[in-house]
Amino acid sequence: MATTTTPPTTASPTTASPTATAAPERPGLAVRVLGDTHALGRRLPQLLVGLVLYGASMGLMLRSGLGLDPWDVFHQGLQRTVGLSVGAWVTICGALVLLLWIPMRQLPGVGTVANVLVIGAAMDLTLRVAGSPGPLAARIALMVGAIVLNGVATGLYIGARLGPGPRDGLMTGLHRRTGRSLRLLRTGIELTVLAAGLLLGGTAGVGTVAYALAIGPLAQFFLPWCTVPTAAGSAARVAQGNATQTPT
């Protein structure tokens, strides 16, 4: 099939199409605020569901009484030492960590702010409605279910691609500023808050170890299923589908 081409013309800057100069401005602003704005109708609800489930999983793990993840050991220690609810400390500490982004020039996303506001509230709500199981077998089952649910929730809120949580952003910001490996920084942060939480009276146990060993593989398993494709990826798949349907 033949194609036609338009002869090149010389145009002065004053006669250039306005869309060529004005179009980049609005997308640039949208990228800073929301990132890729593709499929927000799915990504925003998925973010909210993921954060609610994340807070619920934290509350269920606390109810199991078999140990918490390092940050929640710290939050529980603050609750036992100072007062307020564990969920309130999740929110307060998230906001304080977010302030540490300022000197590192980290830019939070919608998901970052939602992380601070939603997870602690969801955790406190779960603690109000969920009782503590008595038998050890029931507590182990609750702990295992909470860790798996946490893995699902992690895949959902990260897969929404609307910004990292405050604690994850702290790790990546320190990596950019110091050049240290992400694994080293993550381990150092987790051990520091765990030690502080234990000193404040937080609970660590078999659940702490199980969470540390399982959450990485679980998140890696669920993330591909939960990640919303980018606009470029969706366009590529459409183009590939059209190409396969084109008769030769």
Side-chain angles (χ1 to χ4, degrees):
M1 177 179 176
T3 58
T4 58
T5 57
T6 303
T9 58
T10 56
S12 64
T14 57
T15 61
S17 172
T19 57
T21 56
E25 294 299 324
R26 288 186 180 278
L29 178 62
V31 166
R32 284 196 305 244
V33 175
L34 288 172
D36 176 16
T37 57
H38 174 67
L40 284 179
R42 170 185 168 183
R43 291 162 63 201
L44 287 170
Q46 177 175 312
L47 170 71
L48 181 59
V49 170
L51 294 176
V52 169
L53 292 180
Y54 196 98
S57 71
M58 292 162 59
L60 293 175
M61 195 163 178
L62 192 153
R63 281 289 183 243
S64 75
L66 294 174
L68 302 168
D69 70 271
W71 275 100
D72 283 339
V73 172
F74 181 58
H75 300 143
Q76 187 187 49
L78 287 169
Q79 183 263 335
R80 289 179 171 177
T81 303
V82 182
L84 301 180
S85 67
V86 179
W89 282 113
V90 171
T91 302
I92 292 169
C93 290
L96 292 176
V97 170
L98 192 55
L99 291 178
L100 296 177
W101 285 32
I102 297 174
M104 294 186 294
R105 298 183 180 179
Q106 290 270 95
L107 184 65
V110 172
T112 311
V113 178
N115 186 296
V116 175
L117 299 176
V118 173
I119 290 181
M123 183 179 187
D124 274 348
L125 179 60
T126 303
L127 290 172
R128 289 192 187 99
V129 300
S132 300
L136 179 60
R139 293 166 59 198
I140 292 174
L142 184 61
M143 177 197 73
V144 172
I147 293 174
V148 173
L149 181 61
N150 193 274
V152 175
T154 299
L156 286 170
Y157 92 77
I158 292 179
R161 300 185 299 105
L162 287 170
R167 297 157 185 84
D168 291 330
L170 174 64
M171 175 186 64
T172 56
L174 287 172
H175 166 68
R176 192 176 68 250
R177 298 284 288 185
T178 66
R180 304 278 185 173
S181 73
L182 289 172
R183 180 180 299 179
L184 176 64
L185 290 168
R186 180 62 177 261
T187 302
I189 292 171
E190 298 283 321
L191 290 177
T192 299
V193 296
L194 176 60
L198 290 173
L199 290 174
L200 291 170
T203 303
V206 64
T208 308
V209 178
Y211 183 91
L213 294 175
I215 191 58
L218 284 170
Q220 186 175 5
F221 175 79
F222 288 113
L223 191 56
W225 299 89
C226 300
T227 299
V228 182
T230 62
S234 297
R237 280 192 297 276
V238 171
Q240 184 178 9
N242 291 338
T244 59
Q245 295 173 10
T246 302
T248 57

